[in-house]
Amino acid sequence: MFKMMTTLIRGRSHDVTEAFGDANALSILRQQLRDAADGLQGAKRSVAVVMAYAERERKSAAKLDTQLADLETRALDAIRKEREDLAVEAASAIADLEAERKASQTSITHYDGEIRRLREQVSLAEQRLRTLQRGKQIADASQRTQKLRGTMPDGVIASLKEAEATLERLQSRQTHAEDVEIAMVELTSSSSAEATSARLAAAGCGAPLRSEAADVLARLRAKTE
């Protein structure tokens, strides 16, 4: 039971952590990118420092080359003048300078390799950072779009639907009213024509519109004969 409770607590803690991370993912991403950019700047400064060391070592090596050339010239001159003591002293100094120059060349080779490696890392990091920044811009745009969609409350949609239904009913009623009006006009026109015909028939103009009682009686007597 205790193990189950511990597992449940750990599970809920994990769920809460994930939910918090999801809800604040964009803010977390922004800070992570800022941290990465700061770290990249620090890496560039490190490369610059190593490059400065390498340049200083090259200048030192160039100075040693100059000293060696000068000492060799003077040592040869001492040998020609049979100044063995000076020649030996020059040879000892040359040996020391050659050892120093070798160490300097080793340092330069090491610096050059380190600079090349760091530059490759910085270049790769810059590419990855640019890719992430473009992704962040897309995420920013998506979040703004979602917020804009969220500004349309459900009540507005419901009101629009109700208004559309009301307009439809109104248009239907107006159409019906127009149909009624047209029918009334037709009826009125028809009634008016009939009334005119009746007045004309009563005045003896044209055939009568209805049979008179005398005519009906005469027709009935004719049938009995």
Side-chain angles (χ1 to χ4, degrees), residues 48-182:
V49 169
V50 176
M51 291 174 68
Y53 284 149
E55 184 61 26
R56 186 176 66 181
E57 202 61 47
R58 286 190 179 88
K59 289 179 180 179
S60 177
K63 184 179 179 180
L64 289 172
D65 288 338
T66 301
Q67 289 176 328
L68 281 168
D70 180 67
L71 276 173
E72 286 180 2
T73 300
R74 295 179 187 279
L76 290 171
D77 193 34
I79 291 171
R80 283 192 293 268
K81 292 179 179 179
E82 297 182 351
R83 289 294 308 269
E84 189 69 17
D85 57 333
L86 292 177
V88 171
E89 185 179 349
S92 177
I94 288 171
D96 291 339
L97 287 177
E98 285 179 343
E100 191 174 346
R101 184 180 62 178
K102 184 179 179 180
S104 180
Q105 289 296 335
T106 301
S107 295
I108 292 171
T109 301
H110 173 74
Y111 283 140
D112 288 344
E114 192 69 12
I115 289 169
R116 190 162 48 251
R117 184 182 66 83
L118 288 173
R119 276 184 164 175
E120 289 175 355
Q121 289 181 345
V122 167
S123 178
L124 179 60
E126 285 179 329
Q127 292 176 9
R128 293 173 66 182
L129 181 60
R130 284 194 295 269
T131 300
L132 286 168
Q133 287 172 336
R134 286 193 294 270
K136 182 186 73 66
Q137 290 174 351
I138 295 172
D140 281 333
S142 297
Q143 188 179 65
R144 284 194 292 270
T145 303
Q146 290 172 358
K147 286 182 178 179
L148 287 174
R149 286 201 298 265
T151 57
M152 185 67 70
D154 294 337
V156 173
I157 303 300
S159 297
L160 289 172
K161 289 182 178 179
E162 291 174 358
E164 288 169 349
T166 301
L167 177 60
E168 185 178 355
R169 289 196 302 272
L170 178 60
Q171 290 174 338
S172 178
R173 289 175 183 174
Q174 289 176 340
T175 301
H176 178 69
E178 290 174 357
D179 291 342
V180 171
E181 185 176 351
I182 291 171

Side-chain angles (χ1 to χ4, degrees), residues 177-194:
E178 290 174 357
D179 291 342
V180 171
E181 185 176 351
I182 291 171
M184 288 297 294
V185 170
E186 290 177 354
L187 288 173
T188 301
S189 298
S190 177
S191 298
S192 177
E194 289 176 355

Side-chain angles (χ1 to χ4, degrees), residues 29-44:
L29 177 61
R30 291 193 190 103
Q31 186 56 48
Q32 288 172 335
L33 289 179
R34 284 192 291 268
D35 293 342
D38 291 342
L40 186 57
Q41 285 300 113
K44 287 181 177 180

